[in-house]
Amino acid sequence: NNFISAWNVSGTGSVVGIAIVSGSAVTDFNSLRMNDVAANGMVAAMVDSSTASVHLRNNILKVTEADAPARVLIHGSGPLISDYNVFEGVPSNPQYALAESNGTIYGSLFVWRSNTGHDLHGLYGDPGFLTATDLHILRSATLVSGQGLSLGDATFDYDQESRANPPDIGADEYEHMVVTEDAGLAWLAAPDSILTSNTDYSFNVVA
């Protein structure tokens, strides 16, 4: 249940959202947005070392780096359980690939899934973050809504709101709203005098 975003980095070093260097880790229900940074080193949302044992589930991993080496996921040779994650990158970046595992590069979710068996329930696309730094989900967004895997040890989201079953993917459990009709004020016929602030007025609405 973490929001991770807004990097401000320059130089030649790598920029990593979550790094697991040893041991084992359960990495569930996180929302990461790696912005296009000034650094020219590798940019990656999630990296684990060669021996780490990792569970990676129900995460949103988005990388917007457009002109430097970029990966959404870099995995070593240790045990990995990866599924129900949402990925997004910049395929127009010639140095981008969705994943790299033990030195092998996987350019897309289809290739990653087909060759490794990971993320059979994974999704690719825009998750619908509210802004570049506020990683709550727009209520009109559909991709992550109810697409996660229910986990008994993660019953609340980033805002301490209860998770549904099945849950939304990412740190934010939100209420998806379908807008079928909308209305707006096009013309005000009366009153024709100047309105006073902090005053209540009544109007008849004609459809």
Side-chain angles (χ1 to χ4, degrees), residues 37-54:
V37 297
N40 54 18
M42 176 67 73
V43 177
M46 169 75 191
V47 176
D48 66 74
S49 73
S50 61
T51 58
S53 176
V54 179

Side-chain angles (χ1 to χ4, degrees), residues 14-204:
S14 298
V15 183
V16 177
I18 295 178
I20 301 170
V21 297
S22 63
S24 60
V26 175
T27 309
D28 300 330
F29 289 111
N30 297 287
S31 295
L32 286 83
R33 183 186 185 278
M34 307 298 294
N35 49 293
D36 194 353
V37 297
N40 54 18
M42 176 67 73
V43 177
M46 169 75 191
V47 176
D48 66 74
S49 73
S50 61
T51 58
S53 176
V54 179
H55 286 193
L56 185 69
R57 299 165 297 186
N58 296 323
N59 299 283
I60 299 173
L61 305 173
K62 177 171 183 171
V63 175
T64 65
E65 177 59 49
D67 52 12
R71 306 283 186 270
V72 180
L73 171 64
I74 299 177
H75 170 61
S77 58
L80 173 68
I81 297 175
S82 182
D83 206 355
Y84 293 90
N85 299 297
V86 169
F87 304 90
E88 188 183 11
V90 183
S92 59
N93 176 0
Q95 301 181 82
Y96 162 80
L98 182 110
E100 183 176 334
S101 180
N102 201 26
T104 301
I105 293 176
Y106 303 90
S108 68
L109 177 57
F110 175 79
V111 175
W112 167 248
R113 175 188 292 150
S114 300
N115 287 275
T116 67
H118 295 308
D119 287 286
L120 297 179
H121 302 92
L123 300 169
Y124 185 92
D126 183 0
F129 289 141
L130 192 62
T131 70
T133 56
D134 185 345
L135 305 189
H136 289 92
I137 303 297
L138 291 164
R139 293 185 67 186
S140 59
T142 61
L143 184 64
V144 305
S145 179
Q147 298 300 310
L149 173 66
S150 185
L151 301 172
D153 58 350
T155 56
F156 296 96
D157 77 344
Y158 177 86
D159 302 300
Q160 291 302 298
E161 296 175 347
S162 296
R163 290 198 176 275
N165 185 13
D168 301 332
I169 296 176
D172 179 33
E173 185 76 22
Y174 75 111
E175 182 179 353
H176 170 57
M177 178 181 66
V178 178
V179 179
T180 57
E181 296 182 7
D182 199 3
L185 185 63
W187 178 58
L188 183 63
D192 55 8
S193 59
I194 298 175
L195 302 182
T196 304
S197 62
N198 300 316
T199 302
D200 293 331
Y201 295 92
S202 297
F203 302 97
N204 292 323

